[in-house]
Amino acid sequence: MPPAGLPSRVMLLLCCVSTAACNMFAFTEEPSERAGKSDGYCSRILRAQSGRREDNSEFRLRVEGEPDGYQPGSTYRVTVIATSPSYFRGFTLIALKEGTEGDRDEDYAGNFQIMDEEETQFMTNCPPAVTESTPRRRTSIQVFWTAPPSGSGCVLLKASIVQKRIIYFQDEGSLTKRMCEKDSLYGDATEKPLLDCCACGTAKYRVTFYGNWSEKIHPKDFPRRANHWSAIIGASHSKNYVLWEYGGLSSDGVKQIAELGSPVKMEEEIRQKGDDVLTVIKMKAQWPAWQPLNVRAAPSAEFSVDRTRHLMSFLTMLGPSPDWNVGLSAEDLCTKECGWAQKVVQDLIPWDAGTDSGVTYESPNKPAVPQDKIRPLTSLDHPQSPFYDPEGGAITPVARVVVERIARKGEQCNIVPDNVDDIVADIAQEEKEEDDTPETCIYSNWSPWSACSSATCEKGKRMRQRMLKAQLDLSVPCPHTQDFEPCMGPGCSDRDASTCMMSEWITWSPCSLSCGMGTRSRERYVKQFPDDGSNCTVPTEETENCVVNEECSPSSCLVTEWGEWDVCSATCGLGMRRRERMVNMPPEDGSICGAEVLEVEKCMMPECHTIPCLLTPWSDWSDCSVTCGKGLRTRKRTLKSPVELGECTEELEQVEKCMLPECPIDCIMSEWTEWSECNKSCGKGHAIRTRMVKLEPQFGGNPCQESIQRKKCKIRKCTRGQANSDEKKRRKEQREKRRSKQGRVEDASEHPGCKMRPWSSWTECTKLCGGGIQERLMTVKQRFKTAQLSSCKDRKEIRACNVHPC
């Protein structure tokens, strides 16, 4: 019964929020006018209010990879996590279009997919929502969420948490994730370009592949032997041809690259596409996978694009692996301004070709039947995966590809002109391509490149020289002795393996105070890590003082900068820390300073060591569950420590197999055959039947019974004297047959009134073992007029055979 004063309808509402929340807290019932507009219980979940509502960072809703938006139709892994030592017993998860009330079905965005039916289920009275299957202690749950179609706008993923008798349902904070629709990015399903290219002329590019897959950056299960990148294969092509794409199926060429690292089939497929392909891109394999640039230069190749073939794709195998690769798919080098992209830099994560089901670098071959679709690997694919992260973080990129424009040819029609340096670089490259040094000109080696003309992280030029040693034919002019090329200033060089490539500083943030002295900051990010795999030590953030309105109003006050944070109040687990600042100048009007001078925040120290479980000794093993043969036996122990100390994960019961002497097996025999015909034509005779042994007795089982049975049979009385005469003759015949190996043929005189044919041969035994029967026949050849019916007829004999056990 519900508590007094609480309507039963409200009690039902509590159970709708979470099965674990029923009878745990009270709600405020909505006015009847608004409740009447609801189509169901979903909107009531949004309006539910608990006795305790606060922002609690112990619980967090996380979307795998921490995306800042969603790609329409893509699927994401959503996790609700409790920070140790916290836990929750129940939860509710919904996806709501921003700005809606949840009163209508169309207010809910996308679809959830259950991953573990023992943990999660769809809410009975609110199908768009997901809740727990059973209320129990848990620290995390996971579901899949498929984003809504294009044009759905922003979406709020919202979770509620039930812990003991408290429910947290947050409109903002760590249990709500806001995601807005975004354009197609690398890692999501590949889409074909919607717009045709409007650029003029052609462009030439150089693609360079930097492998960052190393034991230092990816230490888990890194294969120290035979790690490599396979030969790189790709093409510049039109939108009518797809080498590979997310959500598609691997071709035979992609499969051969992914599993064997061989580009032969892929190159054959590319060359079969005719006019859809402009350039085939090929680079050599790299053994081992990671090499410093001072040992071997990063592999590169050049290719061209034009208005119809302005896309670039390539792939290379991550080896050893089941079928993992990296690459670009349909990268568009044509800009919206009808020009050619100057530079494309892309970090690459591995993807699965869908042809093998292995989960580790060196998994045995396990073909995927049927073949799966191509998809990017994630950090939650499998616990044994080398990229596994229980928190679902993004995979650290294993490679980086840089595509740079090195020349343009033909008349260009882009509206926005490039800067002068770009044009000079194009012209210089064209000249360099046309420069063929005559064999009659003998030069020294080129000198090292000079320093870049730019002293900042901007584009400049650098020079190298060579000396003309001899000119064998004076009529043939020798080319120039100086060479120039574009370069970047200090800290930005792609060629310096010991430095980081940094972006420009982002503009300063607003001052922290609206009046007086405050602080402001600015940031920059790492564009390219050092080629030796080390981390960047260049600062990425700067902070400085700022003054806004030095002559503050009389009611304002000036405060100092914040001091250092105190030591965390806890030595382990979750604690608190604080920092202070002083008031330098109080308000001139004598009022209280309104600026905050104390800040308190939570701090997390290393996880506390839990108190070990106090357990009783194991009991003796129980008797075996069977009296003979194979069975099971168990032993148990109990928990002595109180439940308040935390959940004990030690096992309290063990089960193992046990073996007793083999059980007796009784003899098993087949069913009896039908009775044979009587062996006499008149008077007393007998018939037989047999059966065979199907299973011999074992381990003292019951022995086998008889396999042959006889019974008397009497057809009709014989005429006087005939029986004795027939019996004597039959016995005499048997004695004569025993004396002779071939037997004797009965004479017609033994059968008065008949002339008989000889006995036929015995038929084959009806069984090979276990008791069978044989037959033979004597048929009438001629019957005399004086013959009696009973003494002149066909005769049959039956005998047992193969009576030995099987």
Side-chain angles (χ1 to χ4, degrees), residues 580-646:
E580 299 178 350
R581 61 181 176 180
M582 303 296 293
V583 177
N584 270 350
M585 183 185 296
E588 295 179 2
D589 58 3
S591 60
I592 298 175
C593 182
E596 293 185 2
V597 295
L598 176 65
E599 276 190 350
V600 180
E601 72 172 14
K602 294 178 181 178
C603 52
M604 178 61 71
M605 301 298 288
E607 216 173 288
C608 299
H609 296 290
T610 56
I611 300 174
C613 302
L614 298 179
L615 301 166
T616 62
W618 285 108
S619 65
D620 294 333
W621 287 105
S622 66
D623 293 335
C624 198
S625 60
V626 296
T627 57
C628 60
K630 296 178 182 179
L632 298 173
R633 64 176 186 172
T634 61
R635 67 174 183 175
K636 298 180 180 180
R637 59 181 176 180
T638 57
L639 181 66
K640 294 169 62 177
S641 56
V643 178
E644 290 75 15
L645 294 180

Side-chain angles (χ1 to χ4, degrees), residues 252-496:
D252 292 339
V254 173
K255 180 179 179 180
Q256 192 179 71
I257 281 278
E259 295 185 3
L260 305 177
S262 171
V264 176
K265 185 67 176 178
M266 187 78 252
E267 183 176 355
E268 181 183 326
E269 290 179 355
I270 292 173
R271 295 191 183 278
Q272 289 176 350
K273 291 302 174 180
D275 292 339
D276 283 326
V277 172
L278 181 59
T279 308
V280 178
I281 300 171
K282 299 168 66 176
M283 289 178 259
K284 293 183 179 180
Q286 299 180 76
W287 294 79
W290 182 84
Q291 294 181 350
L293 291 183
N294 57 3
V295 175
R296 177 182 294 176
S300 64
E302 296 180 0
F303 65 95
S304 299
V305 292
D306 59 19
R307 176 175 287 190
T308 59
R309 294 159 292 189
H310 51 94
L311 305 178
M312 176 269 200
S313 303
F314 81 91
L315 73 158
T316 176
M317 172 200 182
L318 187 79
S321 72
D323 58 345
W324 300 342
N325 312 262
V326 298
L328 291 181
S329 176
E331 185 69 32
D332 196 350
L333 298 174
C334 184
T335 66
K336 296 179 180 179
E337 293 79 19
C338 301
W340 298 109
Q342 175 65 35
K343 188 174 184 179
V344 175
V345 179
Q346 193 72 268
D347 288 319
L348 306 177
I349 62 170
W351 48 269
D352 190 315
T355 62
D356 193 289
S357 301
V359 296
T360 65
Y361 288 126
E362 299 180 280
S363 293
N365 287 335
K366 188 179 180 182
V369 180
Q371 186 172 321
D372 294 326
K373 293 181 180 179
I374 296 175
R375 65 173 184 84
L377 295 180
T378 74
S379 60
L380 292 173
D381 284 336
H382 195 282
Q384 294 180 7
S385 167
F387 305 106
Y388 180 71
D389 177 6
E391 295 295 321
I395 292 179
T396 304
V398 296
R400 169 172 289 186
V401 63
V402 178
V403 182
E404 296 178 281
R405 194 186 74 214
I406 57 176
R408 290 174 297 188
K409 292 183 180 181
E411 183 179 354
Q412 303 296 311
C413 59
N414 51 308
I415 299 172
V416 180
D418 293 329
N419 59 47
V420 175
D421 286 338
D422 291 338
I423 297 173
V424 171
D426 288 338
I427 296 173
Q429 181 65 32
E430 290 180 357
E431 290 177 352
K432 190 180 299 181
E433 289 175 353
E434 296 170 358
D435 176 26
D436 295 325
T437 302
E439 295 180 358
T440 57
C441 300
I442 301 175
Y443 290 92
S444 67
N445 292 330
W446 285 106
S447 68
W449 286 104
S450 67
C452 192
S453 62
S454 172
T456 62
C457 189
E458 298 292 341
K459 185 177 289 187
K461 293 184 180 66
R462 60 179 183 173
M463 181 190 72
R464 63 178 180 175
Q465 293 179 319
R466 61 181 177 178
M467 191 162 60
L468 180 62
K469 289 185 174 182
Q471 188 173 358
L472 303 181
D473 188 351
L474 297 178
S475 64
V476 178
C478 293
H480 58 273
T481 57
Q482 291 184 331
D483 191 17
F484 297 88
E485 75 169 13
C487 60
M488 302 292 288
C492 298
S493 175
D494 293 348
R495 303 176 183 271
D496 188 354

